[in-house]
Amino acid sequence: MRVRLQGLKGRLVLLGLVSVALTPRGLAATPFPDWITQAAASLLPRYPARTRAVVLLDDKLVTVGPDGRATERERMVLKILRPQGREDAHLIAWYNKDNKLNSYHAWSIGPDGHQYTIKDDEIRDVGYEGGGMLYVDLRAKVVNPPGADPNGVVAYEAVRQIANYGESETSWHFQGDNPVHRSVFEIDLPVGWKSYTAWLRHEAATGSEVAPNHWRWELGDVPPIDLDDVPMAPSEEALLGRMVVHYSATDLPTGDQRWAEIGNWYDGLAAPRTEAPLEVAAKSREVAANAADFKGKIQSVAGFMQREIRYVGIEIGVGGLQPHPAADVFKYRYGDCKDKATLLIAMLNAVGVRATWVMVDTHRGFVDPALPSKDGNHMIAAIEMPAGYSDPSLRAVVAAHTGKRYLIFDPTDPYTPIGLIRPELQASYGVLVAGKDSQVIQLPTLSADASTLERTASFELGADGTLKGKVTEIRSGQTSWQYRRLYVEDGEKEQREYMEHRLQRDLASFTLDSASAQNARDMSKSVVVDFSLTASSYAKPSGDLLLVRPRILGRNSQPYNDKPRTYPIDFGETGTWRESVDVALPPGYVVDDMPEPVSVDVGFASYKSEVKALPGVLHYSREYVVKDMDLAPEKSDDVRKLMAVMTTDENNSAVLKKK
Amino acid sequence: MGNVRRLLFLLAAAGALANQAWADSWTQPTPEELKMTAEPAAPGAAAIYLYRDERADDKLHEHTLYVRLKVLTDKGKDYADVEIPYEGRQFSIRAVEGRTIHSDGTVIPFTGKPYDKTLEKTKTEKYKAKVFTLPDVQVGSILEYRYVLAYDDNLVDAPQWYIQLPLYVRRGKYQFIPSAHELLDAHGNGMPASVAYASLLPKGAAVQFSQTQDTYSLDVEKIDPAPEEEYMPPMRSVTFRVLFYYTIARSADDYWRTEGKYWSKETDKFIDAGKLGGVVGQMVAASDTPRQKVEKIYAEVMKLENTSFTRGRSGAEDKAEGIKIKNASDIWAVKRGNGDEITLLFVGLVRAAGLKAWVAAVTNRDRAIFIPSYLYLGQLDDDIAIVELDGKDEFFDPGQRYCPFGQLEWTHTITQGLRQTEHGTEIVTTAAPGYKTNAMLRTADLRLDPDGKVHGSIRITMTGSEALRWRQLALRTDEEEIKREFENSVQRDVPPGVEVKTHHFLSLAEYDKALMAVLDVSGSMGTATSKRVFLPATFFEAGSKPVFVHDKRTLPVDLDYSYAVRDTVVVHLPPSFALESVPKDADIPLPKNAVYQATFKQSEGKLEATRLFVLANSLYTAAEYPALKEFYQKVNAKDQEQAILEAAPAQPGRPQTNGSATAGSGAR
């Protein structure tokens, strides 16, 4: 699924771009608007020195006709404050066949005060690229306006038709990574129509009815979301404030009922696409032929989806929301996320398992129960669990308000076994599509034992400091993801280079003697990675002593700093990382000194390590457990303390001495 | 200048020609092709080309491509997605056909319609792409597709055969039928359709020409994938290839002489030194020596806004300011221009001062390698200046703002290009500057507290490439930004727990002086056991990672430029601690190419460490790689050695472990 055009504006602002609509008509005769010169004359507050640009005015008017069709007019005035702010001044207007541009006017004011009007030959038309999509009908008009230097001002006014696929909402993205001096949003509804607003990460402002059923909101001096130099930061999408207006000719439900309507709307759009020919059912029964029970069936079908259906995105018009028919996805063996979810649903239906879609966003926090909306960027599936059924490997289970339980599964993710979901989806919200029983659900946070790394290693240390030995890593859940990908997709050269780069982070001088992995394709088993290495000069002489870092491989600590914290803290994943390492000492050497044991438990995570001097052996063990990945800023001191302890432990040394 | 370097051939007489339909049927796969699961010659390959057939027919005005590709791994399935970019005004893609063949021989035809994607469209240009994906692709599938690139009847398009691709090629066949029409060259001159080509081919492969069929052809087999290695020179420009073009030149020398003449004439027309006499009279005195004159002119053009580092102005802006850039004197008048324009202005001013000066256009070394046999001016990137001083040619880079007088920005060194001479043009080669040109001096004066906290300051003085890099970054951004980026660059390699913050720069905008950065140090340093404290001995490189990690190497190594770094670090120790031991002094040579020296001294409550690293040569052959890697690994290992402190008897306290966390990769 791709983000709708209405949602794109906000996303582009996040990327440092400004979205506008353009059309090459009647520019020369357009007078220079006074709303631009007025905005340019605004008295601004003092901004931090690192501020690139400020949005002087962001003004959006949505006009809804009696037939429900809408147009939007946007005005934006941006002032460049630093050289880097030039990047914010590229005016980009997305459109496609269902979201046409009606009109466009763009202007700029150079730092010297000269006023410019954009001409036809200064406009480029560019196609959408990237995102792993083969073809998307999205295009953009792009302008690099003159005068875009510090203290220059760029501006536009645009009018765009809004595609109507049966839903009725519009968003106000009033916050970005630049400060917004003044933001205005208006909606003009047919008389008698109903509307309501929902706000996220900003106190709800009161709208004023400036004309019959014409509503207006205004915000001043909205601060930016600035994540530069913020360690362990959530995604920007998860922090930006926004407002959604829902509107309808009839009574409008709010809250959970609105979520149900959104899900029901999508059900109507997607459900017909699950109809599939007999060969789909036949294939489903074939792959699940040996399945003994529910788990076996879903594992078989999920495995087929992960192995056999390529990710290929083709989106035209409503195709940004509506999946391709399951029959086509099956026949051609490719599709995007919503296509794969649709085929999965069709195939599971064929073996008596009910499943449905879950509309999500891969930026945890973007979808929020407080803000009913269809916006999101990904589609996954929810598989209905039989009543009373349970299996310890099926962890990603949610309960709906209907009492049904669903196993959440992402058929686009080829390396997360069914039963688990990858970290960016965990704890995020999505719309469970279940007709009138649709609802917003929170996806589960998996416990720390769902993703584990068990590392055992045995080394011999030479008197010259050379370390030689073997390492075995047993990886399950998220810790196995990268290794499944590496050993399924890549060749020997890439595998070796990946491992060498891994060792590069910990060893100054080394040779990777061998490396292999087992079970990379078998999603029901942990991946076992074996490798051996020789690291010359690992132990460092200092006078008559030999210094050895007991922590040989892998860092669990993450960069952190002493700055005051205002944003939430994102650990990225939950999991458990354990290791046990034996280093046989060079003949004639004994351990003279070693780090003291470390143990810290801050509730959401714990870390402990210990170095022991055994006969002829230096033994190091440690365990790091992350139970909760999203933390409030108030936990910053605990995170800092945890990371400090871990950093120290990971860099500490033991001292060897000749007997 | 771009137009001068661009070649476009148009048919003098256009004729309507029929389109060719596919006459060939698909190729029946062999049992071996169906069953194969790997290619021994390309172990681990995601896919290979079983066969690749490129034909260009300038009589029919079309190119055809036919591909047979075997998918060997899951990743190889990605090759089922095909994107064919093309120029959309005069070119089109037609007759797209394809099919997937499973390893059991089942054939799934491509029945869909390719999508036509707009890449970019402007008032004068249009670039598009046809995209399609093949159906039901599995590991083991053979993917087969073909298409025709057709172009207008008044156009010819000499092919460029890139033989060496990201995938192994079992067999390739190439064919070119040139036009027989008289052509117009870029200068509007009529010319016979004479064909030439530049080729880089594997041993045993050669382009054949059949006079009876007026056709060039090439058959290749067993072509290894194009190599990709870290720190490689721009090898993408020298993979196996054959590049055809129409020309009236009879030899490479003839081409460069002839095209050079056009280029030089256009260049001199822009310079128009005669209009700069009055300007240069304000800059230099008659009594100045030639070198003094050049220094003064250089200093003046360095003051101009170089829009290559800020922002080029649009025509509307120039018009609003009443500006029309026709020649170098206009650049001087508006006090701004791009790098090439400022270089030409500099040459013009030097000429106006009565000295001999020329322009050279060179291939930037970070992008490509200049190939004299490839008769194409588009190889050339930037302009540099050559001035005769004391009877010798000296090179200058006024188009690179803040480049020191008499030096070239590193991408313009050890490269080739085309230069003006007194009698025309000739190929020029630029020199490798010595390591002393690019020098860095780093000093740290640090004080360690009993609780492990550290504070002090760092001074880093830079000349040459490193100073130029930071100065030019400041032009693109501002001082606030480079303060941040500079401290991040230092932070990466200092010991864990230490925090650095840029306090200020000195001489950030003075190209003729060394650039100095002053940073404050805080945080904590070192680790501890029950009896001892360990301090990183080298400080500036304590957290650095090894440069080379891979054992195998097939390509040369390119480290950009030679340089020297000298460090001096003094750590004042708390009275409660004494040094138990320090690392041994080290002298690690890489004979004739590099040297590393480190000394460690304890004296009166201080640890003093010095470190010298000199890289005298930046280019190495693959055969030299093992020694180079070993040298770097030894250096890195030495850089991570530690000094040991022990608590003095009857002294309270000892340094605690790191109190803050600024390190850690998060790699698990």
Side-chain angles (χ1 to χ4, degrees):
Chain A
M1 186 175 71
R2 77 154 193 263
V3 180
R4 296 286 310 282
L5 280 175
Q6 286 158 294
L8 265 175
K9 190 257 178 181
R11 299 301 174 84
L12 290 169
V13 169
L14 298 180
L15 293 170
L17 303 172
V18 178
S19 170
V20 302
L22 308 172
T23 193
R25 288 207 303 253
L27 299 174
T30 308
F32 205 87
D34 55 2
W35 53 267
I36 299 175
T37 50
Q38 285 168 9
S42 304
L43 284 176
L44 298 175
R46 191 177 180 84
Y47 296 112
R50 59 193 294 167
T51 307
R52 301 189 313 267
V54 54
V55 177
L56 300 175
L57 174 67
D58 178 16
D59 183 349
K60 184 173 173 180
L61 165 64
V62 177
T63 304
V64 181
D67 60 355
R69 293 184 181 278
T71 57
E72 66 178 18
R73 186 218 63 197
E74 287 181 325
R75 287 176 174 173
M76 193 281 300
V77 185
L78 178 132
K79 183 174 186 177
I80 300 164
L81 300 181
R82 297 172 68 196
Q84 299 92 307
R86 291 177 181 131
E87 293 171 17
D88 299 270
H90 301 304
L91 306 180
I92 299 175
W94 294 104
Y95 67 98
N96 72 355
K97 76 182 196 60
D98 293 340
N99 295 268
K100 292 187 170 60
L101 298 172
N102 290 352
S103 69
Y104 163 76
H105 305 279
W107 303 267
S108 62
I109 304 173
D112 60 356
H114 190 91
Q115 297 176 341
Y116 299 94
T117 300
I118 307 302
K119 294 180 179 174
D120 295 5
D121 58 6
E122 294 169 325
I123 299 170
R124 292 182 294 136
D125 191 0
V126 299
Y128 176 85
E129 285 285 320
M133 307 295 283
L134 182 72
Y135 180 77
V136 177
D137 70 342
L138 209 54
R139 286 164 68 172
K141 301 285 187 181
V142 179
V143 168
N144 297 328
D149 285 318
N151 291 318
V153 170
V154 298
Y156 69 83
E157 181 185 85
V159 178
R160 180 196 287 123
Q161 293 176 24
I162 302 300
N164 186 342
Y165 300 133
E167 77 283 34
S168 51
E169 65 173 72
T170 184
S171 296
W172 180 23
H173 298 271
F174 50 76
Q175 193 171 30
D177 57 359
N178 283 314
V180 178
H181 181 57
R182 185 165 166 249
S183 186
V184 178
F185 183 85
E186 293 179 67
I187 186 163
D188 188 67
L189 294 166
V191 173
W193 278 46
K194 308 287 193 300
S195 68
Y196 88 95
T197 60
W199 293 73
L200 187 63
R201 300 187 192 91
H202 196 282
E203 191 178 338
T206 305
S208 55
E209 190 171 12
V210 296
N213 221 11
H214 183 125
W215 297 87
R216 184 178 192 279
W217 294 263
E218 179 167 345
L219 294 176
D221 290 321
V222 182
I225 299 297
D226 181 3
L227 296 178
D228 282 351
D229 299 331
V230 178
M232 300 175 75
S235 69
E236 203 171 54
E237 285 82 351
L239 300 173
L240 292 168
R242 67 187 200 271
M243 181 191 87
V244 171
V245 183
H246 297 271
Y247 54 87
S248 172
T250 58
D251 284 340
L252 262 175
T254 60
D256 288 345
Q257 287 180 308
R258 182 60 184 156
W259 280 112
E261 272 203 355
I262 291 168
N264 194 34
W265 160 77
Y266 192 76
D267 213 355
L269 202 61
R273 300 303 180 124
T274 58
E275 291 171 15
L278 290 176
E279 54 261 38
V280 174
K283 186 68 180 181
S284 189
R285 284 192 286 271
E286 177 193 322
V287 299
N290 297 323
D293 66 351
F294 170 77
K295 181 182 169 186
K297 284 181 188 174
I298 62 172
Q299 267 183 334
S300 305
V301 175
F304 173 80
M305 296 299 306
Q306 291 178 308
R307 282 191 314 271
E308 304 294 335
I309 308 298
R310 283 193 296 134
Y311 183 88
V312 177
I314 298 172
E315 294 184 346
I316 301 167
V318 71
L321 291 165
Q322 187 178 41
H324 290 93
D328 288 351
V329 182
F330 178 77
K331 180 179 175 186
Y332 300 124
R333 295 291 204 275
Y334 61 74
D336 65 11
C337 58
K338 57 189 180 296
D339 297 334
K340 291 181 130 203
T342 302
L343 178 59
L344 179 84
I345 292 164
M347 291 186 74
L348 287 174
N349 271 334
V351 292
V353 176
R354 293 181 63 83
T356 187
W357 300 266
V358 184
M359 304 162 69
V360 297
D361 194 283
T362 50
H363 305 96
R364 182 173 44 251
F366 178 79
V367 179
D368 191 289
L371 192 86
S373 172
K374 67 188 182 313
D375 283 348
N377 70 352
H378 191 42
M379 189 70 75
I380 59 175
I383 302 167
E384 196 176 319
M385 302 269 285
Y389 187 91
S390 72
D391 184 286
S393 68
L394 304 182
R395 295 167 178 258
V397 176
V398 295
H401 60 56
T402 56
K404 292 177 181 172
R405 292 178 309 131
Y406 291 90
L407 178 70
I408 306 300
F409 175 62
D410 183 357
T412 305
D413 179 348
Y415 301 118
T416 298
I418 193 160
L420 308 178
I421 50 175
R422 64 183 187 278
E424 60 260 41
L425 295 176
Q426 292 177 37
S428 66
Y429 288 88
V431 187
L432 178 74
V433 177
K436 291 181 178 173
D437 289 329
S438 298
Q439 66 172 107
V440 63
I441 54 170
Q442 185 173 27
L443 308 188
T445 301
L446 300 186
S447 57
D449 62 346
S451 175
T452 62
L453 166 61
E454 302 275 354
R455 180 186 296 127
T456 54
S458 177
F459 292 101
E460 286 183 9
L461 184 66
D464 63 351
T466 299
L467 187 78
K468 188 175 176 61
K470 294 180 178 175
V471 182
T472 297
E473 294 177 339
I474 302 171
R475 293 173 171 269
S476 74
Q478 183 62 22
T479 72
S480 70
W481 199 100
Q482 175 61 11
Y483 288 84
R484 291 189 195 278
R485 193 209 62 73
L486 183 70
Y487 281 90
V488 168
E489 292 189 11
D490 286 337
E492 290 169 22
K493 180 173 181 283
E494 291 82 6
Q495 290 162 6
R496 183 177 183 83
E497 287 180 353
Y498 178 87
M499 294 298 290
E500 287 173 334
H501 277 301
R502 217 192 106 178
L503 298 181
Q504 181 187 24
R505 299 176 196 137
D506 296 314
L507 304 170
S509 172
F510 65 88
T511 300
L512 177 67
D513 298 322
S514 67
S516 64
Q518 300 167 51
N519 309 330
R521 287 182 186 276
D522 189 344
M523 306 288 257
S524 66
K525 293 180 180 168
S526 298
V527 174
V528 180
V529 182
D530 290 299
F531 58 97
S532 58
L533 63 93
T534 303
S536 58
S537 306
Y538 181 75
K540 307 287 191 304
S542 188
D544 297 331
L545 307 175
L546 209 49
L547 304 188
V548 180
R549 191 187 66 213
R551 192 277 305 173
I552 296 172
L553 296 170
R555 288 176 192 265
N556 292 125
S557 61
Q558 297 189 59
Y560 210 70
N561 59 34
D562 290 336
K563 293 176 184 170
R565 186 81 184 198
T566 55
Y567 295 113
I569 301 154
D570 187 349
F571 267 73
E573 60 187 314
T574 57
T576 303
W577 295 262
R578 287 192 197 95
E579 70 178 305
S580 174
V581 179
D582 286 324
V583 179
L585 304 182
Y589 278 84
V590 294
V591 176
D592 184 63
D593 196 4
M594 58 190 181
E596 291 174 353
V598 165
S599 181
V600 57
D601 189 339
V602 286
F604 53 83
S606 63
Y607 183 85
K608 58 185 177 184
S609 84
E610 187 177 23
V611 183
K612 285 182 183 171
L614 305 176
V617 170
L618 184 73
H619 177 80
Y620 176 70
S621 61
R622 65 171 168 164
E623 179 188 77
Y624 177 49
V625 180
V626 177
K627 300 170 196 161
D628 192 357
M629 53 190 166
D630 292 322
L631 304 176
E634 292 74 28
K635 295 286 186 185
S636 185
D637 286 345
D638 286 342
V639 175
R640 188 176 298 116
K641 174 184 163 190
L642 176 70
M643 292 304 152
V645 168
M646 290 167 65
T647 301
T648 300
D649 180 64
E650 289 173 342
N651 290 287
N652 220 335
S653 299
V655 181
L656 308 185
K657 199 173 185 178
K658 265 196 165 177
K659 286 178 193 169
Chain B
M1 302 304 294
N3 287 337
V4 181
R5 292 174 188 164
R6 198 172 63 200
L7 285 179
L8 175 69
F9 294 99
L10 297 170
L11 283 179
L17 293 163
N19 288 331
Q20 182 194 38
W22 286 112
D24 302 329
S25 61
W26 295 111
T27 303
Q28 185 64 28
T30 66
E32 184 272 336
E33 288 173 341
L34 289 171
K35 288 178 185 168
M36 69 178 289
T37 56
E39 168 58 59
I48 64 162
Y49 287 107
L50 296 170
Y51 181 60
R52 191 175 168 90
D53 187 323
E54 290 187 42
R55 300 180 190 211
D57 191 333
D58 258 345
K59 289 177 178 164
L60 290 176
H61 306 274
E62 63 182 32
H63 294 193
T64 60
L65 177 70
Y66 170 46
V67 164
R68 297 181 67 238
L69 184 144
K70 176 80 177 182
V71 176
L72 297 171
T73 71
D74 282 275
K75 199 174 187 178
K77 292 178 183 175
D78 293 345
Y79 291 93
D81 296 345
V82 182
E83 177 163 332
I84 313 158
Y86 64 99
E87 195 282 325
R89 290 184 186 271
Q90 295 176 296
F91 290 73
S92 64
I93 302 287
R94 61 175 180 80
V96 176
E97 295 178 313
R99 63 178 192 166
T100 303
I101 306 170
H102 288 174
S103 54
D104 64 0
T106 307
V107 175
I108 301 98
F110 167 65
T111 55
K113 192 179 165 192
Y115 297 98
D116 210 16
K117 185 155 78 173
T118 294
L119 299 178
E120 181 165 346
K121 191 168 80 175
T122 65
K123 189 179 178 184
T124 55
E125 295 177 318
K126 188 166 155 187
Y127 296 99
K128 304 180 80 173
K130 279 272 195 242
V131 295
F132 62 94
T133 190
L134 293 167
D136 197 1
V137 176
Q138 302 173 2
V139 173
S141 294
I142 293 172
L143 311 182
E144 212 168 359
Y145 60 86
R146 54 196 179 193
Y147 62 84
V148 176
L149 169 75
Y151 40 95
D152 288 357
D153 291 343
N154 66 337
L155 206 65
V156 294
D157 185 27
Q160 300 191 328
W161 296 337
Y162 291 93
I163 311 294
Q164 200 167 21
L165 298 162
L167 297 180
Y168 178 82
V169 181
R170 267 195 177 180
R171 198 162 70 85
K173 187 173 182 63
Y174 300 83
Q175 193 179 74
F176 174 38
I177 302 172
S179 173
H181 285 273
E182 183 173 328
L183 309 175
L184 298 177
D185 71 8
H187 313 293
N189 302 317
M191 56 179 273
S194 174
V195 171
Y197 61 85
S199 65
L200 288 168
L201 287 171
K203 203 173 178 183
V207 175
Q208 306 293 325
F209 178 65
S210 164
Q211 289 210 326
T212 55
Q213 296 175 318
D214 192 22
T215 299
Y216 294 85
S217 62
L218 171 68
D219 291 313
V220 295
E221 59 179 15
K222 299 177 183 171
I223 302 296
D224 287 329
E228 285 281 339
E229 289 179 339
E230 295 167 343
Y231 301 103
M232 67 180 190
M235 300 301 286
R236 291 178 197 90
S237 63
V238 288
T239 51
F240 295 142
R241 63 190 59 195
V242 181
L243 309 172
F244 285 95
Y245 38 86
Y246 292 98
T247 180
I248 54 173
R250 285 160 298 185
S251 65
D253 287 346
D254 186 26
Y255 172 84
W256 291 113
R257 196 165 44 244
T258 307
E259 284 302 319
K261 194 171 73 181
Y262 284 113
W263 165 74
S264 182
K265 189 177 167 188
E266 287 290 321
T267 301
D268 286 344
K269 185 179 169 190
F270 184 85
I271 290 173
D272 200 0
K275 291 187 175 173
L276 295 167
V279 175
V280 82
Q282 305 290 317
M283 296 179 185
V284 302
S287 58
D288 288 336
T289 66
R291 184 171 298 278
Q292 285 171 332
K293 287 177 180 173
V294 177
E295 282 176 349
K296 287 181 176 179
I297 293 168
Y298 192 84
E300 289 298 322
V301 299
M302 276 288 137
K303 293 175 187 169
L304 304 182
E305 180 191 345
N306 189 322
T307 58
S308 297
F309 301 96
T310 55
R311 186 180 64 86
R313 307 302 197 275
S314 68
E317 287 169 283
D318 282 347
K319 189 178 173 188
E321 291 183 52
I323 292 169
K324 215 172 216 180
I325 303 294
K326 287 186 292 188
N327 51 44
S329 65
D330 296 328
I331 297 297
W332 177 255
V334 301
K335 296 288 186 283
R336 67 165 186 254
N338 65 35
D340 284 352
E341 289 169 339
I342 289 174
T343 298
L344 301 196
L345 169 64
F346 170 76
V347 170
L349 289 168
V350 174
R351 286 179 183 172
L355 303 173
K356 290 180 181 175
W358 300 278
V359 177
V362 296
T363 301
N364 288 359
R365 184 155 64 86
D366 61 340
R367 186 191 66 80
I369 295 170
F370 180 76
I371 306 170
S373 63
Y374 180 28
L375 308 186
Y376 179 47
L377 280 170
Q379 293 188 79
L380 304 171
D381 296 304
D382 291 348
D383 291 340
I384 59 174
I386 302 170
V387 180
E388 186 180 296
L389 285 171
D390 303 324
K392 287 182 183 172
D393 284 346
E394 294 193 19
F395 289 69
F396 300 90
D397 213 343
Q400 292 287 324
R401 195 168 183 196
Y402 297 146
C403 188
F405 181 79
Q407 293 179 21
L408 297 177
E409 194 267 343
W410 78 266
T411 63
H412 300 156
T413 64
I414 327 178
T415 186
Q416 287 187 302
L418 187 66
R419 65 161 290 181
Q420 296 177 313
T421 67
E422 279 192 278
H423 309 294
T425 58
E426 64 184 27
I427 303 296
V428 65
T429 301
T430 59
Y435 67 86
K436 290 178 184 172
T437 304
N438 305 308
M440 188 185 293
L441 181 63
R442 303 185 291 195
T443 61
D445 188 53
L446 309 172
R447 188 167 296 278
L448 188 69
D449 293 340
D451 62 357
K453 298 284 184 193
V454 65
H455 48 92
S457 65
I458 293 172
R459 285 170 189 270
I460 300 179
T461 307
M462 295 159 275
T463 60
S465 292
E466 196 63 8
L468 183 58
R469 183 166 76 89
W470 290 108
R471 283 174 168 142
Q472 292 187 339
L473 182 62
L475 286 173
R476 291 190 170 97
T477 59
D478 55 19
E479 188 167 345
E480 187 71 22
E481 181 64 19
I482 70 156
K483 275 183 173 179
R484 183 169 153 261
E485 295 206 17
F486 192 84
E487 70 198 28
N488 286 343
S489 74
V490 176
Q491 183 76 60
R492 269 196 296 273
D493 292 336
V494 297
V498 171
E499 289 186 50
V500 298
K501 186 160 184 61
T502 309
H503 189 276
H504 65 275
F505 289 98
L506 290 174
S507 303
L508 190 58
E510 294 167 278
Y511 72 90
D512 53 346
K513 293 182 179 168
L515 171 63
M516 181 186 283
V518 180
L519 300 92
D520 294 329
V521 177
S522 60
S524 58
M525 186 166 73
T527 56
T529 62
S530 55
K531 293 193 282 188
R532 297 178 173 95
V533 171
F534 308 96
L535 286 183
T538 60
F539 186 74
F540 285 111
E541 300 291 335
S544 64
K545 305 292 177 231
V547 176
F548 300 107
V549 294
H550 305 311
D551 278 343
K552 294 176 184 169
R553 186 84 194 183
T554 58
L555 298 175
V557 176
D558 185 349
L559 296 171
D560 296 348
Y561 51 84
S562 57
Y563 63 92
V565 181
R566 185 183 295 275
D567 298 338
T568 305
V569 178
V570 177
V571 182
H572 301 273
L573 305 173
S576 51
F577 284 83
L579 274 165
E580 181 180 353
S581 69
V582 295
K584 288 179 182 165
D585 294 350
D587 189 342
I588 304 170
L590 180 64
K592 297 182 182 174
N593 288 311
V595 69
Y596 169 93
Q597 292 170 342
T599 65
F600 306 93
K601 195 169 73 176
Q602 49 179 314
S603 61
E604 297 174 1
K606 290 187 296 189
L607 167 65
E608 292 182 42
T610 67
R611 178 184 184 277
L612 172 67
F613 183 95
V614 175
L615 183 74
N617 174 26
S618 62
L619 296 170
Y620 296 83
T621 64
E624 292 172 311
Y625 175 72
L628 182 68
K629 181 187 173 197
E630 185 184 1
F631 168 74
Y632 268 98
Q633 290 200 334
K634 282 181 181 173
V635 168
N636 195 250
K638 190 68 192 172
D639 280 339
Q640 294 185 4
E641 291 188 4
Q642 299 180 90
I644 302 178
L645 306 184
E646 59 183 358
Q651 295 290 335
R654 65 182 182 84
Q656 302 298 304
T657 54
N658 292 332
S660 66
T662 55
S665 65
R668 293 155 179 165

